Amino acid sequence: MNADFNDLLYVAHERRNLKLPGNSVTYLVDRNINYTNVCTINCQFCSFYRPPGHIETYTQTFEQISSKVRELEDIGGSRILMQGGVNPDLDLDWYIGLLTALKKRHPSISLDCFSPIEIEGIANVVGKSTREVLVELKRAGLHGLPGGGAEMLVDEIRTGVSPQKGASENWLRVMSEAQELGLVTSATNVIGLGESIGDRVEHLDKIRNLQDSACSSGLPGFTSFISWPVMLENNSLGRGNRGHNRYSLGANSTEYLRHVAVSRLYLDNIDHIQASWPTMGMEVAQLALFAGADDAGSTMMEENVVSASGTTKTGASIDELRTMIVSAGFIPVQRDSEYNTIYELPEPELRN
Ligand code: SF4
């Protein structure tokens, strides 16, 4: 907590260099798809969702989703990250039908879809266990589970901002089940929810323990970890606290960079730490590459969940990500969602 800022970033960057030698920074060409905004969970920091019956609700058709995937294929992308609300009108057959159709039409695209709370929502609708739901989704073509919804895995904080989201244990259990089934998973963390430094360490500790247990069972566990500060525009969490200063909400760039550095040092069993350009901007994301991060995130193409609460940039072109990496002094390497190299720019192009 009291470590000198420069020392902390230096040590985290050294640890990154030891773990991942070389001067490469990876990025992913992908697309976010937010297939439905109907949700019953009512998180206070969320401006994206609409309750069932609201006039602004939507659920995209298979054809609409497929045409978005086609646009991703057109730019050489390799995966979609599809997340939405907990929609009680969609049953397991709808999700199986969607994955089956996408896999058939877009066989080379990895389908990383549905965060743990969505899996729980599907399980509740059909009266099955989350494991049974995951087994059926995997059979239909699911490749991985995004790490969304972890926020702060400390129940006192979690129930304060998302009373209906359930205990931290649920997120960890669904992720563990996904890992056991061979699905690709990542871990996330939202800071600035009114938590203490100790709470942040507790979150990191739970991720690290789950990773230890996955690795000791011979599983790959989480591919990566990404954190960002809560956005406070346009949501009840920000509105309810404006002018009151009841809690210490949000986190500035320095605090964010410190957290990136601490996560690189503490999560010594997770290979990749991502910088978050959508919430912090490209310049701070570049600094995160000197605070232990080794990955610049992804193109996204569109983002509607976090951006509804205040970010302005919801997509980056491949050129923007490469330029961001090169101008920070690193070599850009396009990867897939399992961090396998897809494409490395030839030397002459790097200098242009
Ligand atoms: S963050 Fe997710 S679970 Fe929470 S209200 Fe928004 S869509 Fe629903």
Side-chain angles (χ1 to χ4, degrees):
M1 180 179 177
N2 297 318
D4 177 83
F5 181 72
N6 290 328
D7 290 349
L8 182 61
L9 267 57
Y10 175 80
V11 172
H13 189 51
E14 285 296 291
R15 177 66 64 83
R16 173 268 207 255
N17 289 335
L18 275 176
K19 199 167 185 77
L20 302 160
N23 205 28
S24 301
V25 166
T26 47
Y27 65 96
L28 174 66
V29 179
D30 75 345
R31 175 166 201 153
N32 274 29
I33 298 175
N34 302 118
Y35 63 98
T36 182
N37 69 346
V38 180
C39 190
T40 54
I41 302 297
N42 190 17
C43 301
Q44 288 180 26
F45 51 80
C46 181
S47 320
F48 162 75
Y49 86 97
R50 295 292 180 270
H54 191 285
I55 192 169
E56 294 169 1
T57 56
Y58 74 78
T59 298
Q60 292 168 348
T61 63
F62 291 5
E63 194 47 57
Q64 285 171 322
I65 295 170
S66 177
S67 73
K68 286 171 185 271
V69 182
R70 213 169 296 123
E71 287 171 4
L72 173 69
E73 288 174 322
D74 289 344
I75 65 162
S78 60
R79 79 106 183 235
I80 58 163
L81 190 151
M82 184 159 58
Q83 296 183 113
V86 175
N87 186 337
D89 291 331
L90 302 180
D91 63 16
L92 183 55
D93 286 343
W94 186 89
Y95 288 92
I96 289 173
L98 173 61
L99 292 174
T100 306
L102 292 179
K103 206 64 222 166
K104 192 168 170 203
R105 294 182 203 181
H106 314 282
S108 66
I109 299 294
S110 297
L111 307 177
D112 293 347
C113 314
F114 319 130
S115 58
I117 188 71
E118 290 164 87
I119 300 297
E120 283 189 75
I122 301 167
N124 288 338
V125 166
V126 293
K128 294 191 173 192
S129 70
T130 49
R131 184 185 292 273
E132 288 169 326
V133 168
L134 287 169
V135 166
E136 296 200 37
L137 294 179
K138 186 182 179 202
R139 201 177 293 136
L142 187 67
H143 171 264
L145 227 56
E151 282 106 34
M152 189 58 62
L153 295 172
V154 176
D155 287 339
E156 192 188 341
I157 302 299
R158 197 171 179 79
T159 50
V161 293
S162 302
Q164 295 177 64
K165 208 161 207 169
S168 312
E169 187 48 43
N170 296 358
W171 188 93
L172 292 160
R173 191 201 70 246
V174 175
M175 276 300 177
S176 171
E177 291 168 351
Q179 291 172 352
E180 284 164 20
L181 292 169
L183 294 163
V184 174
T185 59
S186 58
T188 62
N189 186 193
V190 178
I191 59 172
L193 294 166
E195 76 282 356
S196 65
I197 298 291
D199 291 330
R200 290 180 191 171
V201 174
E202 185 176 331
H203 178 98
L204 294 177
D205 200 50
K206 286 178 176 169
I207 299 285
R208 182 175 140 141
N209 288 341
L210 181 55
Q211 186 76 347
D212 269 346
S213 120
C215 294
S216 64
S217 307
L219 301 166
F222 296 117
T223 54
S224 59
F225 174 86
I226 179 168
S227 61
W228 64 87
V230 64
M231 299 286 110
L232 294 168
E233 300 296 316
N234 316 323
N235 56 39
S236 58
L237 186 66
R239 271 195 300 273
N241 290 279
R242 205 156 291 152
H244 293 286
N245 202 21
R246 277 190 289 148
Y247 308 106
S248 173
L249 291 177
N252 63 25
S253 301
T254 309
E255 208 174 342
Y256 163 73
L257 290 168
R258 292 182 75 94
H259 194 62
V260 172
V262 169
S263 62
R264 168 57 80 190
L265 295 170
Y266 201 84
L267 298 174
D268 62 348
N269 52 7
I270 295 183
D271 286 343
H272 303 287
I273 304 290
Q274 277 187 35
S276 176
W277 62 258
T279 52
M280 302 311 298
M282 289 294 182
E283 289 81 8
V284 176
Q286 281 179 314
L287 291 175
L289 301 178
F290 296 94
D294 63 290
D295 184 89
S298 68
T299 50
M300 296 173 81
M301 293 179 74
E302 62 168 311
E303 202 288 325
N304 303 290
V305 181
V306 179
S307 60
S309 287
T311 64
T312 49
K313 191 164 173 57
T314 57
S317 67
I318 297 170
D319 272 354
E320 273 181 291
L321 288 185
R322 283 181 187 160
T323 301
M324 181 264 246
I325 294 166
V326 171
S327 62
F330 297 96
I331 300 164
V333 174
Q334 185 181 339
R335 64 168 174 89
D336 64 15
S337 65
E338 295 176 54
Y339 286 79
N340 300 305
T341 296
I342 291 183
Y343 177 69
E344 197 166 334
L345 274 184
E347 272 289 323
E349 283 189 46
L350 270 175
R351 286 194 288 272
N352 290 331

